[in-house]
Amino acid sequence: MADIELTTPGWTHTYSGKVRELYASTVLPPRVLMVATDRVSAFDHVLEPAIPGKGELLTRLSLWWFDQLEGMPNHLAPREEWSSIPPEVASRAMLVRELTMYPIECVVRGYLSGSGWVEYQESQSVCGVPLPAGLRDGDRLPEPIYTPAWKAPLGQHDENISYERTVELVGETVAAALRDLSLAIFGRASTIAEARGVILADTKFEFGVDDDGVVRLADEVLTSDSSRYWDAAAYASGNRIASFDKQIVRDWMKANWDGTGEPPALPADIVERTAARYRELIATLTGA
Ligand SMILES: Nc1ncnc(-c2cnn(Cc3cccc(F)c3)c2)c1Cl
């Protein structure tokens, strides 16, 4: 896509995700530019039109969380290098160290919802993790559970795998580190979010390793694209669908698309309500 290349020299486009673009630096030491677009995806489709400001809002959220999670090595490049970020994408880009990424989506669930609820009804377990009987949709789990997935090549579905399978993929030491880091970060993020009236229901982390062997938290972190956020007050009063993430879009799609062919365009009010929800989440969490 012609408009993918940056006008600022020194960057080569390397990856297109559904809603993000990756570029490799041709001049700096091994650095990667992660650019978030305003595109929104649901049900494995990129939807039209884009959500104005989404890329910037989710980038600000990631950066805020990286700061909150001090002590956890991450992939952000040193701040003094950030002046090299192309101005054309600066508000929605992160300059990061190039890592060797682990092929594991480190999913942590603190609540039962989405595909987890469907699976629980059939097997009283989620991704092979047995759960107590009698849980209802949206219930908080007794303890957060780690339910990894194998990171399929872009465009394919990630595949839920057992912890034992992650050991086969990355070895016992790294598999244990990814699990323990994911659960620890989820615990800290949940506490920070709940102190601000927001429930972190579930999220997905990705990690990589640098040339010195340091395991670093990578990719986007705790954004409304990689996580489910709910309003704690609404949840407490029994409203289990007041979510801060893409639920507005998902619900509209479910009501207006039979899942075949190209999805319909989102109406203007859905676009605006979704943009407002993203702004509200960032304001509630970061205060900005
Ligand atoms: N620090 C890093 N070093 C090397 N590679 C990555 C890396 C690779 N893939 N992804 C996910 C992705 C795919 C498509 C577009 C995106 F913006 C992001 C992130 C990272 Cl974060």
Side-chain angles (χ1 to χ4, degrees), residues 9-11 24-33 77-78 80-86 95-96 98:
W11 299 97
S25 159
T26 55
V27 289
L28 287 163
R31 293 291 184 261
V32 165
L33 190 68
E80 57 267 23
E81 295 180 14
W82 284 47
S83 54
S84 65
I85 295 178
L95 183 64
V96 300
E98 182 166 36

mmCIF file of all heavy atoms in Angstrom, residues 9-11 24-33 77-78 80-86 95-96 98:
data_model
loop_
_atom_site.group_PDB
_atom_site.id
_atom_site.type_symbol
_atom_site.label_atom_id
_atom_site.label_comp_id
_atom_site.label_asym_id
_atom_site.label_seq_id
_atom_site.Cartn_x
_atom_site.Cartn_y
_atom_site.Cartn_z
ATOM 1 N N PRO A 9 12.800 9.870 5.657
ATOM 2 C CA PRO A 9 13.757 8.818 5.270
ATOM 3 C C PRO A 9 14.294 8.075 6.487
ATOM 4 O O PRO A 9 14.185 8.544 7.616
ATOM 5 C CB PRO A 9 14.870 9.606 4.583
ATOM 6 C CG PRO A 9 14.745 11.006 5.048
ATOM 7 C CD PRO A 9 13.313 11.220 5.422
ATOM 8 N N GLY A 10 14.850 6.862 6.248
ATOM 9 C CA GLY A 10 15.514 6.123 7.327
ATOM 10 C C GLY A 10 14.665 5.013 7.900
ATOM 11 O O GLY A 10 15.086 4.336 8.836
ATOM 12 N N TRP A 11 13.461 4.803 7.335
ATOM 13 C CA TRP A 11 12.568 3.754 7.860
ATOM 14 C C TRP A 11 12.046 2.880 6.741
ATOM 15 O O TRP A 11 11.618 3.375 5.701
ATOM 16 C CB TRP A 11 11.389 4.386 8.618
ATOM 17 C CG TRP A 11 11.837 5.189 9.788
ATOM 18 C CD1 TRP A 11 12.028 6.545 9.836
ATOM 19 C CD2 TRP A 11 12.203 4.684 11.069
ATOM 20 N NE1 TRP A 11 12.483 6.909 11.065
ATOM 21 C CE2 TRP A 11 12.609 5.780 11.850
ATOM 22 C CE3 TRP A 11 12.248 3.407 11.641
ATOM 23 C CZ2 TRP A 11 13.032 5.653 13.166
ATOM 24 C CZ3 TRP A 11 12.662 3.277 12.956
ATOM 25 C CH2 TRP A 11 13.056 4.393 13.694
ATOM 26 N N ALA A 24 11.344 -0.804 10.293
ATOM 27 C CA ALA A 24 12.706 -1.032 10.786
ATOM 28 C C ALA A 24 13.548 0.190 10.452
ATOM 29 O O ALA A 24 13.395 0.787 9.386
ATOM 30 C CB ALA A 24 13.295 -2.278 10.112
ATOM 31 N N SER A 25 14.409 0.531 11.421
ATOM 32 C CA SER A 25 15.286 1.670 11.179
ATOM 33 C C SER A 25 16.429 1.248 10.261
ATOM 34 O O SER A 25 16.970 0.143 10.396
ATOM 35 C CB SER A 25 15.888 2.138 12.513
ATOM 36 O OG SER A 25 17.061 2.875 12.253
ATOM 37 N N THR A 26 16.763 2.106 9.317
ATOM 38 C CA THR A 26 17.897 1.787 8.427
ATOM 39 C C THR A 26 19.143 2.554 8.861
ATOM 40 O O THR A 26 20.202 2.387 8.291
ATOM 41 C CB THR A 26 17.556 2.195 6.967
ATOM 42 O OG1 THR A 26 17.179 3.576 6.992
ATOM 43 C CG2 THR A 26 16.399 1.366 6.440
ATOM 44 N N VAL A 27 18.996 3.378 9.917
ATOM 45 C CA VAL A 27 20.181 4.148 10.331
ATOM 46 C C VAL A 27 20.540 3.917 11.805
ATOM 47 O O VAL A 27 21.668 3.683 12.158
ATOM 48 C CB VAL A 27 19.984 5.661 10.082
ATOM 49 C CG1 VAL A 27 20.016 5.972 8.602
ATOM 50 C CG2 VAL A 27 18.661 6.138 10.677
ATOM 51 N N LEU A 28 19.547 3.898 12.680
ATOM 52 C CA LEU A 28 19.810 3.768 14.125
ATOM 53 C C LEU A 28 20.296 2.344 14.445
ATOM 54 O O LEU A 28 20.141 1.464 13.615
ATOM 55 C CB LEU A 28 18.508 4.012 14.897
ATOM 56 C CG LEU A 28 18.010 5.444 14.952
ATOM 57 C CD1 LEU A 28 16.539 5.467 15.373
ATOM 58 C CD2 LEU A 28 18.844 6.247 15.929
ATOM 59 N N PRO A 29 20.812 2.117 15.647
ATOM 60 C CA PRO A 29 21.073 0.716 16.037
ATOM 61 C C PRO A 29 19.748 -0.036 15.943
ATOM 62 O O PRO A 29 18.713 0.563 15.726
ATOM 63 C CB PRO A 29 21.543 0.854 17.489
ATOM 64 C CG PRO A 29 21.131 2.199 17.944
ATOM 65 C CD PRO A 29 21.072 3.057 16.734
ATOM 66 N N PRO A 30 19.759 -1.371 16.108
ATOM 67 C CA PRO A 30 18.530 -2.118 15.763
ATOM 68 C C PRO A 30 17.301 -1.574 16.518
ATOM 69 O O PRO A 30 17.110 -1.836 17.706
ATOM 70 C CB PRO A 30 18.846 -3.544 16.156
ATOM 71 C CG PRO A 30 20.069 -3.504 16.955
ATOM 72 C CD PRO A 30 20.787 -2.251 16.620
ATOM 73 N N ARG A 31 16.533 -0.784 15.842
ATOM 74 C CA ARG A 31 15.337 -0.203 16.430
ATOM 75 C C ARG A 31 14.140 -0.504 15.540
ATOM 76 O O ARG A 31 14.280 -0.674 14.323
ATOM 77 C CB ARG A 31 15.489 1.329 16.570
ATOM 78 C CG ARG A 31 16.539 1.751 17.577
ATOM 79 C CD ARG A 31 16.138 1.440 19.000
ATOM 80 N NE ARG A 31 17.112 1.918 19.993
ATOM 81 C CZ ARG A 31 18.024 1.142 20.564
ATOM 82 N NH1 ARG A 31 18.111 -0.144 20.222
ATOM 83 N NH2 ARG A 31 18.872 1.630 21.458
ATOM 84 N N VAL A 32 12.972 -0.562 16.167
ATOM 85 C CA VAL A 32 11.719 -0.827 15.452
ATOM 86 C C VAL A 32 10.766 0.308 15.809
ATOM 87 O O VAL A 32 10.761 0.783 16.953
ATOM 88 C CB VAL A 32 11.128 -2.193 15.902
ATOM 89 C CG1 VAL A 32 9.696 -2.352 15.479
ATOM 90 C CG2 VAL A 32 11.986 -3.344 15.363
ATOM 91 N N LEU A 33 10.031 0.775 14.805
ATOM 92 C CA LEU A 33 9.018 1.812 15.049
ATOM 93 C C LEU A 33 7.658 1.128 14.981
ATOM 94 O O LEU A 33 7.320 0.516 13.948
ATOM 95 C CB LEU A 33 9.119 2.908 13.979
ATOM 96 C CG LEU A 33 8.303 4.169 14.206
ATOM 97 C CD1 LEU A 33 8.848 4.959 15.398
ATOM 98 C CD2 LEU A 33 8.302 5.033 12.948
ATOM 99 N N ALA A 77 12.815 2.126 23.517
ATOM 100 C CA ALA A 77 14.179 2.644 23.310
ATOM 101 C C ALA A 77 14.409 3.784 24.305
ATOM 102 O O ALA A 77 13.448 4.406 24.765
ATOM 103 C CB ALA A 77 14.306 3.146 21.875
ATOM 104 N N PRO A 78 15.665 4.072 24.648
ATOM 105 C CA PRO A 78 15.941 5.195 25.562
ATOM 106 C C PRO A 78 15.277 6.471 25.053
ATOM 107 O O PRO A 78 15.265 6.746 23.858
ATOM 108 C CB PRO A 78 17.466 5.305 25.508
ATOM 109 C CG PRO A 78 17.942 3.945 25.103
ATOM 110 C CD PRO A 78 16.875 3.390 24.199
ATOM 111 N N GLU A 80 16.100 9.421 24.963
ATOM 112 C CA GLU A 80 16.880 10.408 24.192
ATOM 113 C C GLU A 80 16.888 10.086 22.698
ATOM 114 O O GLU A 80 17.251 10.915 21.884
ATOM 115 C CB GLU A 80 18.319 10.524 24.712
ATOM 116 C CG GLU A 80 19.118 9.237 24.742
ATOM 117 C CD GLU A 80 19.007 8.542 26.103
ATOM 118 O OE1 GLU A 80 18.006 8.805 26.822
ATOM 119 O OE2 GLU A 80 19.883 7.720 26.415
ATOM 120 N N GLU A 81 16.454 8.881 22.338
ATOM 121 C CA GLU A 81 16.414 8.527 20.901
ATOM 122 C C GLU A 81 15.089 8.916 20.254
ATOM 123 O O GLU A 81 14.923 8.839 19.044
ATOM 124 C CB GLU A 81 16.615 7.027 20.718
ATOM 125 C CG GLU A 81 17.974 6.511 21.146
ATOM 126 C CD GLU A 81 18.101 5.003 20.929
ATOM 127 O OE1 GLU A 81 17.250 4.410 20.214
ATOM 128 O OE2 GLU A 81 19.024 4.412 21.496
ATOM 129 N N TRP A 82 14.117 9.315 21.107
ATOM 130 C CA TRP A 82 12.770 9.473 20.557
ATOM 131 C C TRP A 82 12.648 10.643 19.590
ATOM 132 O O TRP A 82 11.736 10.692 18.766
ATOM 133 C CB TRP A 82 11.742 9.571 21.684
ATOM 134 C CG TRP A 82 11.468 8.230 22.292
ATOM 135 C CD1 TRP A 82 12.404 7.311 22.685
ATOM 136 C CD2 TRP A 82 10.201 7.633 22.531
ATOM 137 N NE1 TRP A 82 11.792 6.191 23.160
ATOM 138 C CE2 TRP A 82 10.437 6.354 23.091
ATOM 139 C CE3 TRP A 82 8.879 8.051 22.344
ATOM 140 C CZ2 TRP A 82 9.409 5.495 23.454
ATOM 141 C CZ3 TRP A 82 7.860 7.195 22.709
ATOM 142 C CH2 TRP A 82 8.125 5.928 23.254
ATOM 143 N N SER A 83 13.636 11.552 19.635
ATOM 144 C CA SER A 83 13.551 12.700 18.703
ATOM 145 C C SER A 83 13.692 12.217 17.258
ATOM 146 O O SER A 83 13.388 12.943 16.323
ATOM 147 C CB SER A 83 14.669 13.694 19.017
ATOM 148 O OG SER A 83 15.921 13.005 18.996
ATOM 149 N N SER A 84 14.124 10.958 17.090
ATOM 150 C CA SER A 84 14.290 10.444 15.709
ATOM 151 C C SER A 84 12.983 9.860 15.168
ATOM 152 O O SER A 84 12.929 9.390 14.033
ATOM 153 C CB SER A 84 15.366 9.347 15.710
ATOM 154 O OG SER A 84 14.897 8.255 16.472
ATOM 155 N N ILE A 85 11.917 9.877 15.980
ATOM 156 C CA ILE A 85 10.633 9.361 15.484
ATOM 157 C C ILE A 85 10.091 10.329 14.440
ATOM 158 O O ILE A 85 10.039 11.543 14.684
ATOM 159 C CB ILE A 85 9.620 9.212 16.635
ATOM 160 C CG1 ILE A 85 10.095 8.134 17.628
ATOM 161 C CG2 ILE A 85 8.229 8.842 16.106
ATOM 162 C CD1 ILE A 85 9.183 7.937 18.820
ATOM 163 N N PRO A 86 9.689 9.842 13.270
ATOM 164 C CA PRO A 86 9.159 10.731 12.235
ATOM 165 C C PRO A 86 7.989 11.569 12.744
ATOM 166 O O PRO A 86 7.028 11.014 13.309
ATOM 167 C CB PRO A 86 8.705 9.764 11.146
ATOM 168 C CG PRO A 86 9.503 8.522 11.356
ATOM 169 C CD PRO A 86 9.726 8.442 12.842
ATOM 170 N N LEU A 95 9.101 4.070 19.691
ATOM 171 C CA LEU A 95 10.411 3.597 19.210
ATOM 172 C C LEU A 95 10.887 2.542 20.200
ATOM 173 O O LEU A 95 10.958 2.813 21.410
ATOM 174 C CB LEU A 95 11.412 4.759 19.160
ATOM 175 C CG LEU A 95 12.796 4.414 18.594
ATOM 176 C CD1 LEU A 95 12.697 4.000 17.124
ATOM 177 C CD2 LEU A 95 13.757 5.593 18.756
ATOM 178 N N VAL A 96 11.151 1.341 19.679
ATOM 179 C CA VAL A 96 11.473 0.239 20.583
ATOM 180 C C VAL A 96 12.752 -0.473 20.140
ATOM 181 O O VAL A 96 13.142 -0.414 18.973
ATOM 182 C CB VAL A 96 10.313 -0.775 20.669
ATOM 183 C CG1 VAL A 96 9.048 -0.087 21.179
ATOM 184 C CG2 VAL A 96 10.067 -1.476 19.340
ATOM 185 N N GLU A 98 14.852 -3.572 18.975
ATOM 186 C CA GLU A 98 14.477 -4.774 18.241
ATOM 187 C C GLU A 98 14.819 -5.996 19.089
ATOM 188 O O GLU A 98 15.957 -6.180 19.489
ATOM 189 C CB GLU A 98 15.218 -4.844 16.898
ATOM 190 C CG GLU A 98 14.803 -6.072 16.096
ATOM 191 C CD GLU A 98 15.261 -5.991 14.655
ATOM 192 O OE1 GLU A 98 16.359 -5.452 14.419
ATOM 193 O OE2 GLU A 98 14.507 -6.433 13.777
#
